[in-house]
Amino acid sequence: MAQQGVTEEMYAHVAEYGDRDEYSERERLAIEYAERFALDHLGIDDAFFERLREHFADDEILDLTICIADFLGFGRLTQVLKLDQSCAVDPT
């Protein structure tokens, strides 16, 4: 992550992205998109997509959407199957 400019401090405070100066507007929008996608996907409206398009091209929005969906899906998969860090399956 450091190679992309993400510091430990940024990672530790990602949930506070709106109140922190180290995030760019693009980063804030990407985080907001991920949060809304996870918590209220039906609430993502045309006005939000207009805001995204001010900072992202359509192909970037598509890539971002696929990444968010993949990470959310994989996170839910690991929770449902009760996989731990070593990927062991709990047989119960």
Side-chain angles (χ1 to χ4, degrees):
M1 287 191 305
Q3 292 173 337
Q4 272 83 44
V6 178
T7 65
E8 289 290 327
E9 183 76 7
M10 288 176 74
Y11 185 73
H13 297 283
V14 71
E16 303 151 13
Y17 68 92
D19 299 325
R20 310 230 9 134
D21 293 334
E22 61 261 271
Y23 297 102
S24 69
E25 187 60 27
R26 276 175 57 99
E27 290 166 335
R28 283 190 178 95
L29 276 168
I31 296 167
E32 180 183 353
Y33 187 32
E35 186 175 70
R36 292 177 72 167
F37 196 99
L39 302 176
D40 185 24
H41 64 284
L42 296 177
I44 299 172
D45 56 11
D46 291 341
F48 182 74
F49 274 104
E50 286 179 30
R51 287 177 45 218
L52 277 176
R53 285 190 182 99
E54 290 175 12
H55 297 276
F56 295 93
D58 286 344
D59 62 328
E60 292 175 310
I61 294 171
L62 177 60
D63 287 345
L64 187 57
T65 304
I66 292 169
C67 287
I68 292 167
D70 283 347
F71 280 107
L72 283 171
F74 188 73
R76 290 177 182 176
L77 176 144
T78 60
Q79 290 295 307
V80 167
L81 297 180
K82 296 182 174 51
L83 300 177
D84 63 13
Q85 291 179 354
S86 65
C87 295
V89 175
D90 182 5
T92 58

